[in-house]
Each structure stands twice: as C-alpha cells, then as structure tokens.
Amino acid sequence: MMQISESYNQKNSLFNAMNRFIGAVNNMDQTVMVPSLLRDVPLDDGEGVKAPTNGPAYLHQDGDMYSSYMLLKSIRNDIEWGVLQGDERRKEKAGVAEVRLEDDLEKQFHFHLNGLHTVLSKLTRKADTLTTRYKEEIGCRN
C-alpha cells in the first residue's frame, strides 16, 4: 500500500503541480506590492494562455500583466476554496440535461489529469514570468 508521503515525492503528481502553482502565485502576490503598476504592461510569456470570455471584466483583457495577475489569483482561489459557484451556474444553465458518461472512466480520468497537469504547469510559468517582469519594471534585480 502506497503511503501519502510517497505521492508527495513524485515530481509529476497533481499535488506537487498544484503546490508549485500556488507557491508561484503566492510569491507573485507577495512581490507585486502595487498591482495597478501592471496595467497596460504587456506580458510576453509566449504561453498563449488566454483569459476566459465569461466571468468578471478584468479577465477579458488579453496580454497585459494586470489581467494575468488577476486571472492567476482567481485560479489559485478556485483551487484553494473550490469552484462551487461555477458548478451552480452550470446547473442552472443545464437544467435537466443529462451528462452522458463513457464506459471507460479510467481513460477519462487520465485524460483530464494530464490536461490539468499541463495547464497548471503553464500557469505556474506564467506566474513566475509575471513576478520576474514586475521586478524588472520596478527596477529590482535579484
């Protein structure tokens, strides 16, 4: 039987990916003392991570550091506190529509796990890039 501590030592575990992302966003949040300085400053991270088209207006802007900062903090909060509100909105829209499940739940699980891991890795790099760019903008070199 695998112990919990063993799973934390796995480099590619979902727990570690989430912890790396949350750590990067926490570092970003502690570094960025004046978020308004991020407005209209392009973030050339090369990741192509787009803000969703639904949700708060600050998530609709593409390309500036402030919208990326707010998006990353929002995603961190969803991971830490859950996305109950999003689930409730989907239920209202879906009404009585049923979701069809495929027979192979293991394939679905692995597909979504791989996707989540990939997205978390990209978001972690985005938070690290934003932190570095902020330090460059304010003239802090470490």
Side-chain angles (χ1 to χ4, degrees):
M1 185 167 164
M2 183 191 293
Q3 295 177 354
I4 293 176
S5 62
E6 290 175 8
S7 67
Y8 281 102
N9 292 327
Q10 299 297 320
K11 181 180 176 184
N12 294 320
S13 77
L14 181 57
F15 292 117
N16 282 334
M18 286 190 300
N19 284 331
R20 280 190 300 270
F21 169 71
I22 290 169
V25 173
N26 287 343
N27 182 42
M28 175 194 74
D29 204 17
Q30 291 170 356
T31 301
V32 177
M33 302 305 269
V34 185
S36 62
L37 291 177
L38 302 173
R39 290 190 190 277
D40 301 323
V41 178
L43 177 66
D44 300 322
D45 64 355
E47 292 295 328
V49 178
K50 300 278 187 195
T53 56
N54 58 352
Y58 61 79
L59 296 180
H60 294 255
Q61 303 169 10
D62 278 328
D64 80 339
M65 289 177 61
Y66 182 78
S67 62
S68 294
Y69 173 82
M70 296 305 292
L71 175 66
L72 292 163
K73 285 183 58 167
S74 174
I75 292 170
R76 178 198 56 195
N77 289 342
D78 285 346
I79 289 173
E80 290 180 334
W81 299 101
V83 289
L84 227 178
Q85 291 177 344
D87 290 341
E88 290 171 356
R89 282 194 298 263
R90 278 193 290 278
K91 286 178 185 175
E92 289 174 6
K93 289 180 181 179
V96 293
E98 292 183 24
V99 177
R100 294 187 333 204
L101 295 177
E102 294 179 20
D103 291 334
D104 195 348
L105 293 176
E106 185 179 9
K107 280 185 183 178
Q108 287 182 28
F109 172 75
H110 286 289
F111 173 79
H112 290 291
L113 182 64
N114 288 333
L116 181 58
H117 195 278
T118 300
V119 169
L120 284 169
S121 295
K122 288 179 180 181
L123 291 170
T124 300
R125 284 192 300 274
K126 188 174 190 82
D128 289 339
T129 299
L130 192 145
T131 302
T132 302
R133 284 288 314 280
Y134 179 81
K135 287 179 178 179
E136 289 171 3
E137 290 294 321
I138 63 168
C140 177
R141 308 252 187 241
N142 285 353

